[in-house]
Amino acid sequence: MQDEGGFVSTRSRTAARRDRRDPLHVGIGAEILEQESAEAVLALSRRRSPQFNVVNAHTALHRTAKLGAVWGPEGCRVSVPLESVKCLVEVTIGLLRAACEHEGVMSATKLSTQEQAVGLVNTAWSLARLEY
């Protein structure tokens, strides 16, 4: 949908991108976001990681870091053992490595360069938050 100046609105660009995404991976992403604890995200990741794409791995790692951080008087501490997170980190790194080695892997996610950069930044934040 174009506005009066001939520009495509942000809303229609977002909707168009969403329409092109693989329903399997969109569904997995929704499942990840429904989890209410870091442990639940990690359990889901153990079951579904063979089906993850790079976006699902970013989302699971970010959600684990967000839900697994507990703020207290001494600041932030991680409530999940790093050993539990290790598998998810390895899946994420493996998918990122594949994306770097095979040009088509990242483009298969149908993400813009900006969206890919945001995913990488979120992954870096997640690793820092988890003190990994």
Side-chain angles (χ1 to χ4, degrees):
M1 181 176 198
Q2 292 185 349
D3 65 12
E4 294 166 3
F7 294 100
V8 176
S9 73
T10 303
R11 172 174 272 174
S12 42
R13 279 195 307 256
T14 303
R17 260 196 316 273
R18 194 176 303 120
D19 291 343
R20 292 192 315 257
R21 299 218 174 120
D22 178 8
L24 170 68
H25 295 114
V26 171
I28 292 172
E31 273 185 78
I32 293 166
L33 294 175
E34 288 171 359
Q35 305 311 304
E36 296 182 6
S37 71
E39 292 79 9
V41 175
L42 291 169
L44 175 71
S45 297
R46 281 190 291 278
R47 286 192 319 273
R48 303 289 305 262
S49 65
Q51 298 171 309
F52 277 10
N53 67 5
V54 118
V55 175
N56 298 141
H58 286 309
T59 303
L61 190 59
H62 190 268
R63 187 97 174 129
T64 299
K66 183 177 179 180
L67 296 173
V70 178
W71 288 93
E74 294 107 34
C76 183
R77 70 176 177 77
V78 179
S79 67
V80 248
L82 287 182
E83 194 58 39
S84 300
V85 178
K86 185 178 180 182
C87 179
L88 180 56
V89 170
E90 289 173 356
V91 166
T92 304
I93 289 171
L95 287 167
L96 288 170
R97 184 172 290 129
C100 292
E101 292 173 358
H102 307 288
E103 189 176 314
V105 174
M106 212 51 165
S107 62
T109 63
K110 297 179 177 72
L111 296 176
S112 69
T113 303
Q114 181 180 0
E115 290 169 320
Q116 291 174 33
V118 168
L120 292 172
V121 169
N122 285 343
T123 296
W125 175 87
S126 301
L127 294 172
R129 174 56 61 103
L130 292 166
E131 300 174 1
Y132 194 83

